[in-house]
Amino acid sequence: MAKKNLRHIPIYKKALELCYMSREVVSYVSFNKDLLKLYESNSHRDVIADALLTDTILIPQRIAKAEYSISNTERMEQVSYINIMIRNMNSYCLGLEKDGVKELEYINLLRTEIKSFRQYFKKWKTAMN
C-alpha cells in the first residue's frame, strides 16, 4: 500500500496551523520566553502554556498514526486521544484567561482556531468510520 502524503489531508494541515498559532500565542503570553524550557518554570501560566503546546504538537502525530494505521481499533483510539486534547486546549485557554492574561484577543483567536479545527476533526472522524 502506498504511503499517504499527510500534507494533502485537510485535518493535518489544520493541525499544523493550530500548532503554529498556539506557539505564537504561548510565546506572547508566557513569562518564560524560551518555549523549550517552559516545563522548568514555577509560573502557573507557563505550566498551562507548556501543556497547551504539548497537546498541539501531539495532535498532528496522532492524526498521522490514525491515517497510517490499518487497525480500526487503533484509529479510533487516536481519534479519542485527539478529542481529549481538543477539550484540554479549551480548558488551557480558560486557565490562561483566569491566570490574568490581559491580551484576551489572542486567547480568543486561539479559541476560534480550536473551534475551526474541531469542525475539521468532526468531518475527518466521520470519514474514518
Side-chain angles (χ1 to χ4, degrees):
M1 183 168 95
K3 282 230 175 195
K4 299 176 184 178
N5 187 346
L6 292 173
R7 299 236 180 249
H8 298 298
I9 299 172
I11 189 170
Y12 189 79
K13 287 186 206 176
K14 196 66 174 172
L16 293 178
E17 290 173 16
L18 184 62
C19 268
Y20 177 75
M21 178 172 277
S22 65
R23 197 173 299 132
E24 294 298 316
V25 169
V26 164
S27 69
Y28 190 76
V29 301
S30 64
F31 294 123
N32 185 350
K33 298 304 178 190
D34 184 356
L35 298 184
L36 296 175
K37 297 199 177 187
L38 283 174
Y39 69 94
E40 294 176 350
S41 177
N42 290 329
S43 162
H44 187 252
R45 184 179 299 182
D46 288 349
V47 170
I48 295 170
D50 183 49
L52 175 63
L53 273 181
T54 300
D55 279 0
T56 58
I57 290 168
L58 286 174
I59 287 175
Q61 294 173 13
R62 296 293 181 162
I63 291 169
K65 275 187 177 181
E67 285 290 332
Y68 291 141
S69 176
I70 55 173
S71 164
N72 193 44
T73 304
E74 186 176 341
R75 281 196 299 269
M76 290 303 110
E77 187 177 299
Q78 301 310 319
V79 166
S80 176
Y81 284 137
I82 294 168
N83 198 36
I84 291 167
M85 286 184 261
I86 293 169
R87 256 194 338 249
N88 288 348
M89 289 168 32
N90 282 315
S91 296
Y92 301 146
C93 287
L94 181 62
L96 289 170
E97 186 178 334
K98 297 283 185 191
D99 193 56
V101 171
K102 300 218 182 316
E103 300 81 5
L104 289 181
E105 60 272 7
Y106 295 118
I107 302 298
N108 289 332
L109 278 172
L110 184 56
R111 283 182 174 133
T112 302
E113 191 69 23
I114 294 167
K115 186 177 181 180
S116 174
F117 176 78
R118 184 179 270 299
Q119 291 170 345
Y120 277 78
F121 174 72
K122 285 180 182 179
K123 289 177 192 171
W124 177 72
K125 182 172 72 168
T126 303
M128 292 290 286
N129 289 334

